[in-house]
Amino acid sequence: MEQPSPHALPFGRYRELLDQEYRTLSNLVGPALDRPVPACPGWTGEDLVRHTAIVFLQKAETIRTGVRPSHGWPPVSVGSFPPQALLAHCYASLIEQFDAHEPGDRVETWVPEDQTVGFWIRRLTHETAIHRFDLEDTVAGGTTPLDAKLVLDGIDEVLTVMLGRGHPDPSASGAVVRLEAGGHSWDIRLDRRRAVVERDIAADGQATLRSTAEPLLLWLWGRAPGPGPAAIEGPAAELRARLAAAL
């Protein structure tokens, strides 16, 4: 199958990074359970761990059946699991389904042009990495740098996949904001119906944010301040607000 973007990693590498990020996240569960999560106001570490576990389990069931579960979801039984056990159970269910399928196998996603298991391999690797960062931030022991190639792919994924989940915005300005990091660029036109992303095109006077890649990714996810004053005004602020509504 074709890779979903020019920044996408081989699926085997996603699997390696997913396991790595999961192990780190899992080791943080104990000290994080009762602490507030800075990135998720109102949530404790336990809330975040349970959320992550249910995401794993839902995607496992989606891959197993080919369609997203609806009735009776999530299973009532998951409430009886302690957080660590629930996370381990749900991750094992996810990996069982990844191992039983090829990346090109068909499964429901919210991106019409990519209805494959590979979509979920990529998506869950990014999801796990961001929530690992969240738990490290929760325990305040310092955060581990993200894999450099995964960061560039993460910028692309949040703009071309996650932003696409948002609803039409009748108040959208139609402005273009340009993001530059790691020798690449993304131009995002904030149209009312949807945000349109173009990769690596020539600059033409657009409002531009330049940054190293990891801080830019974390800003897009609402996990870090923006790269400079321009990030809190005009088209950049509109982009961040639109992402916040979609994530």
Side-chain angles (χ1 to χ4, degrees):
M1 65 173 293
E2 294 183 0
Q3 293 285 51
S5 95
H7 298 285
L9 282 60
F11 289 109
R13 181 57 177 157
Y14 284 127
R15 291 291 305 274
E16 292 172 356
L17 289 169
L18 174 60
D19 282 342
Q20 175 183 305
E21 294 289 354
Y22 168 76
R23 287 193 300 270
T24 304
L25 184 153
S26 180
N27 288 337
L28 293 162
V29 170
L33 286 178
D34 296 326
R35 300 190 186 187
V37 180
C40 306
W43 277 20
T44 64
E46 179 170 352
D47 294 323
L48 182 61
V49 169
R50 289 188 178 277
H51 161 80
T52 304
I54 295 304
V55 169
F56 289 159
L57 190 62
Q58 186 196 50
K59 302 325 173 202
E61 184 68 2
T62 299
I63 295 167
R64 188 183 72 82
T65 65
V67 295
R68 181 177 58 182
S70 54
H71 301 298
W73 189 263
V76 174
S77 60
V78 301
S80 65
F81 280 80
Q84 186 86 59
L86 178 64
L87 185 70
H89 168 74
C90 295
Y91 187 70
S93 298
L94 178 69
I95 294 305
E96 180 181 12
Q97 292 305 315
F98 282 166
D99 287 345
H101 291 83
E102 295 297 325
D105 287 353
R106 192 183 186 287
V107 66
E108 181 182 343
T109 79
W110 69 78
V111 176
E113 61 270 22
D114 190 358
Q115 300 280 297
T116 67
V117 171
F119 174 94
W120 291 119
I121 294 173
R122 184 190 190 207
R123 174 82 286 282
L124 269 296
T125 303
H126 289 296
E127 181 89 1
T128 306
I130 288 295
H131 289 325
R132 181 272 297 168
F133 174 92
D134 289 339
L135 280 192
E136 285 186 333
D137 198 28
T138 296
V139 301
T143 56
T144 307
L146 292 156
D147 178 86
K149 291 184 178 179
L150 188 68
V151 168
L152 274 180
D153 184 54
I155 294 170
D156 194 85
E157 199 247 10
V158 75
L159 293 172
T160 62
V161 173
M162 303 304 288
L163 187 58
R165 297 176 67 194
H167 297 293
D169 182 358
S171 66
S173 67
V176 174
V177 58
R178 181 180 178 90
L179 308 179
E180 295 181 355
H184 294 279
S185 66
W186 295 262
D187 285 74
I188 306 98
R189 188 172 69 249
L190 300 165
D191 285 357
R192 293 180 179 181
R193 188 170 66 86
R194 64 187 181 95
V196 179
V197 181
E198 293 186 279
R199 305 178 181 100
D200 293 327
I201 64 173
D204 189 25
Q206 307 95 320
T208 300
L209 294 183
R210 296 181 181 87
S211 174
T212 51
E214 184 165 328
L216 180 62
L217 174 66
L218 294 174
W219 172 71
L220 290 169
W221 273 95
R223 265 61 177 182
I232 60 174
E233 59 188 22
E238 184 180 347
L239 169 62
R240 176 82 273 286
R242 197 146 174 178
L243 270 169
L247 296 177

PDB file of all heavy atoms in Angstrom, residues 211-230:
ATOM      1  N   SER A 211      10.000  27.315  13.405  1.00  0.00           N
ATOM      2  CA  SER A 211      10.339  26.728  14.687  1.00  0.00           C
ATOM      3  C   SER A 211      11.121  25.451  14.457  1.00  0.00           C
ATOM      4  O   SER A 211      11.115  24.891  13.352  1.00  0.00           O
ATOM      5  CB  SER A 211       9.053  26.408  15.469  1.00  0.00           C
ATOM      6  OG  SER A 211       9.327  25.713  16.659  1.00  0.00           O
ATOM      7  N   THR A 212      11.801  24.984  15.510  1.00  0.00           N
ATOM      8  CA  THR A 212      12.260  23.608  15.473  1.00  0.00           C
ATOM      9  C   THR A 212      11.030  22.706  15.572  1.00  0.00           C
ATOM     10  O   THR A 212       9.960  23.117  16.018  1.00  0.00           O
ATOM     11  CB  THR A 212      13.239  23.329  16.623  1.00  0.00           C
ATOM     12  OG1 THR A 212      12.650  23.757  17.848  1.00  0.00           O
ATOM     13  CG2 THR A 212      14.559  24.067  16.404  1.00  0.00           C
ATOM     14  N   ALA A 213      11.192  21.449  15.153  1.00  0.00           N
ATOM     15  CA  ALA A 213      10.012  20.625  14.888  1.00  0.00           C
ATOM     16  C   ALA A 213       9.250  20.223  16.144  1.00  0.00           C
ATOM     17  O   ALA A 213       8.017  20.322  16.181  1.00  0.00           O
ATOM     18  CB  ALA A 213      10.432  19.375  14.103  1.00  0.00           C
ATOM     19  N   GLU A 214       9.937  19.767  17.190  1.00  0.00           N
ATOM     20  CA  GLU A 214       9.196  19.256  18.349  1.00  0.00           C
ATOM     21  C   GLU A 214       8.363  20.336  19.036  1.00  0.00           C
ATOM     22  O   GLU A 214       7.181  20.101  19.342  1.00  0.00           O
ATOM     23  CB  GLU A 214      10.118  18.570  19.350  1.00  0.00           C
ATOM     24  CG  GLU A 214       9.350  17.960  20.504  1.00  0.00           C
ATOM     25  CD  GLU A 214      10.137  16.978  21.334  1.00  0.00           C
ATOM     26  OE1 GLU A 214      11.028  16.290  20.773  1.00  0.00           O
ATOM     27  OE2 GLU A 214       9.859  16.862  22.536  1.00  0.00           O
ATOM     28  N   PRO A 215       8.910  21.538  19.315  1.00  0.00           N
ATOM     29  CA  PRO A 215       8.052  22.573  19.909  1.00  0.00           C
ATOM     30  C   PRO A 215       6.850  22.926  19.039  1.00  0.00           C
ATOM     31  O   PRO A 215       5.769  23.227  19.555  1.00  0.00           O
ATOM     32  CB  PRO A 215       9.000  23.762  20.074  1.00  0.00           C
ATOM     33  CG  PRO A 215      10.355  23.163  20.163  1.00  0.00           C
ATOM     34  CD  PRO A 215      10.316  21.975  19.250  1.00  0.00           C
ATOM     35  N   LEU A 216       7.031  22.886  17.716  1.00  0.00           N
ATOM     36  CA  LEU A 216       5.906  23.177  16.828  1.00  0.00           C
ATOM     37  C   LEU A 216       4.827  22.107  16.955  1.00  0.00           C
ATOM     38  O   LEU A 216       3.626  22.416  17.058  1.00  0.00           O
ATOM     39  CB  LEU A 216       6.382  23.272  15.382  1.00  0.00           C
ATOM     40  CG  LEU A 216       5.299  23.580  14.342  1.00  0.00           C
ATOM     41  CD1 LEU A 216       4.650  24.939  14.605  1.00  0.00           C
ATOM     42  CD2 LEU A 216       5.865  23.520  12.926  1.00  0.00           C
ATOM     43  N   LEU A 217       5.230  20.842  16.959  1.00  0.00           N
ATOM     44  CA  LEU A 217       4.260  19.763  17.120  1.00  0.00           C
ATOM     45  C   LEU A 217       3.506  19.897  18.443  1.00  0.00           C
ATOM     46  O   LEU A 217       2.271  19.775  18.480  1.00  0.00           O
ATOM     47  CB  LEU A 217       4.963  18.405  17.061  1.00  0.00           C
ATOM     48  CG  LEU A 217       4.073  17.193  17.354  1.00  0.00           C
ATOM     49  CD1 LEU A 217       3.007  17.023  16.279  1.00  0.00           C
ATOM     50  CD2 LEU A 217       4.912  15.926  17.496  1.00  0.00           C
ATOM     51  N   LEU A 218       4.229  20.162  19.505  1.00  0.00           N
ATOM     52  CA  LEU A 218       3.592  20.266  20.817  1.00  0.00           C
ATOM     53  C   LEU A 218       2.658  21.465  20.876  1.00  0.00           C
ATOM     54  O   LEU A 218       1.606  21.408  21.527  1.00  0.00           O
ATOM     55  CB  LEU A 218       4.656  20.335  21.906  1.00  0.00           C
ATOM     56  CG  LEU A 218       5.490  19.059  22.074  1.00  0.00           C
ATOM     57  CD1 LEU A 218       6.606  19.283  23.086  1.00  0.00           C
ATOM     58  CD2 LEU A 218       4.624  17.871  22.483  1.00  0.00           C
ATOM     59  N   TRP A 219       2.992  22.546  20.198  1.00  0.00           N
ATOM     60  CA  TRP A 219       2.079  23.695  20.134  1.00  0.00           C
ATOM     61  C   TRP A 219       0.812  23.331  19.376  1.00  0.00           C
ATOM     62  O   TRP A 219      -0.304  23.663  19.810  1.00  0.00           O
ATOM     63  CB  TRP A 219       2.758  24.889  19.467  1.00  0.00           C
ATOM     64  CG  TRP A 219       1.818  26.026  19.195  1.00  0.00           C
ATOM     65  CD1 TRP A 219       1.254  26.857  20.111  1.00  0.00           C
ATOM     66  CD2 TRP A 219       1.312  26.439  17.915  1.00  0.00           C
ATOM     67  NE1 TRP A 219       0.427  27.774  19.485  1.00  0.00           N
ATOM     68  CE2 TRP A 219       0.448  27.541  18.139  1.00  0.00           C
ATOM     69  CE3 TRP A 219       1.516  26.006  16.611  1.00  0.00           C
ATOM     70  CZ2 TRP A 219      -0.213  28.201  17.098  1.00  0.00           C
ATOM     71  CZ3 TRP A 219       0.859  26.656  15.572  1.00  0.00           C
ATOM     72  CH2 TRP A 219       0.004  27.745  15.827  1.00  0.00           C
ATOM     73  N   LEU A 220       0.964  22.642  18.260  1.00  0.00           N
ATOM     74  CA  LEU A 220      -0.211  22.246  17.486  1.00  0.00           C
ATOM     75  C   LEU A 220      -1.157  21.379  18.319  1.00  0.00           C
ATOM     76  O   LEU A 220      -2.374  21.481  18.179  1.00  0.00           O
ATOM     77  CB  LEU A 220       0.220  21.500  16.223  1.00  0.00           C
ATOM     78  CG  LEU A 220       0.904  22.351  15.140  1.00  0.00           C
ATOM     79  CD1 LEU A 220       1.532  21.459  14.067  1.00  0.00           C
ATOM     80  CD2 LEU A 220      -0.075  23.330  14.509  1.00  0.00           C
ATOM     81  N   TRP A 221      -0.587  20.575  19.203  1.00  0.00           N
ATOM     82  CA  TRP A 221      -1.386  19.716  20.077  1.00  0.00           C
ATOM     83  C   TRP A 221      -1.806  20.418  21.354  1.00  0.00           C
ATOM     84  O   TRP A 221      -2.438  19.806  22.227  1.00  0.00           O
ATOM     85  CB  TRP A 221      -0.611  18.439  20.413  1.00  0.00           C
ATOM     86  CG  TRP A 221      -0.804  17.362  19.396  1.00  0.00           C
ATOM     87  CD1 TRP A 221      -0.016  17.064  18.330  1.00  0.00           C
ATOM     88  CD2 TRP A 221      -1.885  16.433  19.343  1.00  0.00           C
ATOM     89  NE1 TRP A 221      -0.529  16.016  17.616  1.00  0.00           N
ATOM     90  CE2 TRP A 221      -1.676  15.607  18.219  1.00  0.00           C
ATOM     91  CE3 TRP A 221      -3.013  16.219  20.137  1.00  0.00           C
ATOM     92  CZ2 TRP A 221      -2.557  14.582  17.870  1.00  0.00           C
ATOM     93  CZ3 TRP A 221      -3.889  15.204  19.796  1.00  0.00           C
ATOM     94  CH2 TRP A 221      -3.659  14.388  18.669  1.00  0.00           C
ATOM     95  N   GLY A 222      -1.465  21.687  21.510  1.00  0.00           N
ATOM     96  CA  GLY A 222      -1.844  22.418  22.712  1.00  0.00           C
ATOM     97  C   GLY A 222      -1.041  22.025  23.925  1.00  0.00           C
ATOM     98  O   GLY A 222      -1.481  22.217  25.068  1.00  0.00           O
ATOM     99  N   ARG A 223       0.166  21.508  23.698  1.00  0.00           N
ATOM    100  CA  ARG A 223       1.011  21.055  24.800  1.00  0.00           C
ATOM    101  C   ARG A 223       2.169  22.003  25.095  1.00  0.00           C
ATOM    102  O   ARG A 223       2.950  21.733  26.009  1.00  0.00           O
ATOM    103  CB  ARG A 223       1.597  19.675  24.482  1.00  0.00           C
ATOM    104  CG  ARG A 223       0.825  18.485  25.022  1.00  0.00           C
ATOM    105  CD  ARG A 223      -0.580  18.364  24.516  1.00  0.00           C
ATOM    106  NE  ARG A 223      -1.235  17.154  25.014  1.00  0.00           N
ATOM    107  CZ  ARG A 223      -2.460  16.799  24.692  1.00  0.00           C
ATOM    108  NH1 ARG A 223      -3.188  17.534  23.856  1.00  0.00           N
ATOM    109  NH2 ARG A 223      -2.997  15.709  25.210  1.00  0.00           N
ATOM    110  N   ALA A 224       2.311  23.069  24.375  1.00  0.00           N
ATOM    111  CA  ALA A 224       3.432  23.982  24.578  1.00  0.00           C
ATOM    112  C   ALA A 224       3.049  25.355  24.053  1.00  0.00           C
ATOM    113  O   ALA A 224       2.158  25.484  23.197  1.00  0.00           O
ATOM    114  CB  ALA A 224       4.674  23.466  23.842  1.00  0.00           C
ATOM    115  N   PRO A 225       3.718  26.402  24.551  1.00  0.00           N
ATOM    116  CA  PRO A 225       3.468  27.745  24.007  1.00  0.00           C
ATOM    117  C   PRO A 225       3.846  27.809  22.535  1.00  0.00           C
ATOM    118  O   PRO A 225       4.671  27.020  22.049  1.00  0.00           O
ATOM    119  CB  PRO A 225       4.394  28.637  24.848  1.00  0.00           C
ATOM    120  CG  PRO A 225       4.779  27.828  26.028  1.00  0.00           C
ATOM    121  CD  PRO A 225       4.734  26.394  25.606  1.00  0.00           C
ATOM    122  N   GLY A 226       3.269  28.748  21.836  1.00  0.00           N
ATOM    123  CA  GLY A 226       3.566  28.919  20.424  1.00  0.00           C
ATOM    124  C   GLY A 226       4.961  29.438  20.189  1.00  0.00           C
ATOM    125  O   GLY A 226       5.577  30.041  21.070  1.00  0.00           O
ATOM    126  N   PRO A 227       5.495  29.216  18.986  1.00  0.00           N
ATOM    127  CA  PRO A 227       6.834  29.686  18.644  1.00  0.00           C
ATOM    128  C   PRO A 227       6.848  31.177  18.328  1.00  0.00           C
ATOM    129  O   PRO A 227       6.806  31.587  17.169  1.00  0.00           O
ATOM    130  CB  PRO A 227       7.199  28.850  17.417  1.00  0.00           C
ATOM    131  CG  PRO A 227       5.880  28.510  16.791  1.00  0.00           C
ATOM    132  CD  PRO A 227       4.892  28.400  17.919  1.00  0.00           C
ATOM    133  N   GLY A 228       6.860  32.001  19.357  1.00  0.00           N
ATOM    134  CA  GLY A 228       6.939  33.442  19.167  1.00  0.00           C
ATOM    135  C   GLY A 228       5.589  34.126  19.258  1.00  0.00           C
ATOM    136  O   GLY A 228       4.532  33.487  19.252  1.00  0.00           O
ATOM    137  N   PRO A 229       5.619  35.474  19.323  1.00  0.00           N
ATOM    138  CA  PRO A 229       4.378  36.255  19.489  1.00  0.00           C
ATOM    139  C   PRO A 229       3.346  36.036  18.391  1.00  0.00           C
ATOM    140  O   PRO A 229       2.150  36.115  18.641  1.00  0.00           O
ATOM    141  CB  PRO A 229       4.884  37.706  19.496  1.00  0.00           C
ATOM    142  CG  PRO A 229       6.315  37.609  19.889  1.00  0.00           C
ATOM    143  CD  PRO A 229       6.821  36.316  19.337  1.00  0.00           C
ATOM    144  N   ALA A 230       3.803  35.745  17.178  1.00  0.00           N
ATOM    145  CA  ALA A 230       2.858  35.572  16.069  1.00  0.00           C
ATOM    146  C   ALA A 230       1.927  34.386  16.266  1.00  0.00           C
ATOM    147  O   ALA A 230       0.878  34.301  15.628  1.00  0.00           O
ATOM    148  CB  ALA A 230       3.622  35.414  14.747  1.00  0.00           C
TER     149      ALA A 230
END
